[in-house]
Amino acid sequence: DAVVALRVALLREHPTHPIYGRLRPDVEQRARQFFGTQLRSTQETMLLAEMSDAIVGILRRVESVSSPQLEPACYADISSTYVHPTVRRRGVLRSLLGAADRWARRRGLTEMRLHNVAGSADAEGAWDALGFEIVEQVRFRRVPPASG
């Protein structure tokens, strides 16, 4: 329940985003099924942050295989990170990332990549402060309808 609530809240923070702003009406039901599969995976885990007996943050970490032409062979992929707005700027994200760092080191991973939504100055500032830099962009374009 906590995973679904936090991950859907993350999506709902971006109502005008060209991808994440198009939530399906049954988003919670779909999320429960999809995230359940992720929770059972041996290659990924979701960290939860708790304050005062409430789950207030989440971070998804995956051991991903790199392109066979590149080093390292595997890396830690971080995504679906969300901290409830009422507890932001209290070290929750830093704590979640610290746990992800320890997980990555135990697996022998030396590199971490992050997927986050562009356009939030607060989020971008937080990730910059935590040592992440932008090295790639994802662009979006709708396929135009066929003419005539």
Side-chain angles (χ1 to χ4, degrees):
D1 291 343
V3 169
V4 170
L6 291 170
R7 301 253 327 250
V8 170
L10 171 61
L11 293 171
R12 288 197 168 125
E13 280 211 352
H14 306 284
T16 61
H17 191 274
I19 296 172
Y20 304 114
R22 299 178 294 165
L23 296 179
R24 295 176 183 258
D26 59 346
V27 64
E28 286 88 0
Q29 179 184 350
R30 288 173 178 267
R32 185 170 301 282
Q33 180 179 348
F34 182 64
F35 303 150
T37 300
Q38 291 178 338
L39 286 168
R40 289 186 294 277
S41 171
T42 59
Q43 297 303 310
E44 64 184 284
T45 55
M46 290 188 212
L47 299 173
L48 298 176
E50 184 178 12
M51 290 179 85
S52 303
D53 297 324
I55 304 297
V56 297
I58 189 168
L59 181 147
R60 178 175 172 247
R61 59 192 183 182
V62 180
E63 182 173 340
S64 294
V65 176
S66 189
S67 167
Q69 294 85 24
L70 302 175
E71 293 286 347
C74 296
Y75 60 92
D77 190 12
I78 304 299
S79 66
S80 303
T81 303
Y82 177 79
V83 175
H84 195 278
T86 60
V87 296
R88 290 180 183 163
R89 298 190 163 282
R90 294 191 192 175
V92 175
L93 181 58
R94 186 173 299 279
S95 178
L96 287 166
L97 186 59
D101 286 340
R102 290 187 295 279
W103 171 84
R105 281 192 294 271
R106 282 194 306 272
R107 289 179 169 256
L109 304 174
T110 60
E111 185 174 290
M112 191 173 280
R113 299 180 192 176
L114 168 70
H115 178 97
N116 70 291
V117 175
S120 167
D122 288 342
E124 290 173 10
W127 291 120
D128 288 347
L130 291 167
F132 286 88
E133 60 182 296
I134 297 171
V135 297
E136 189 173 53
Q137 293 181 340
V138 175
R139 294 179 181 253
F140 171 81
R141 176 181 176 267
R142 293 190 190 277
V143 177
S147 58

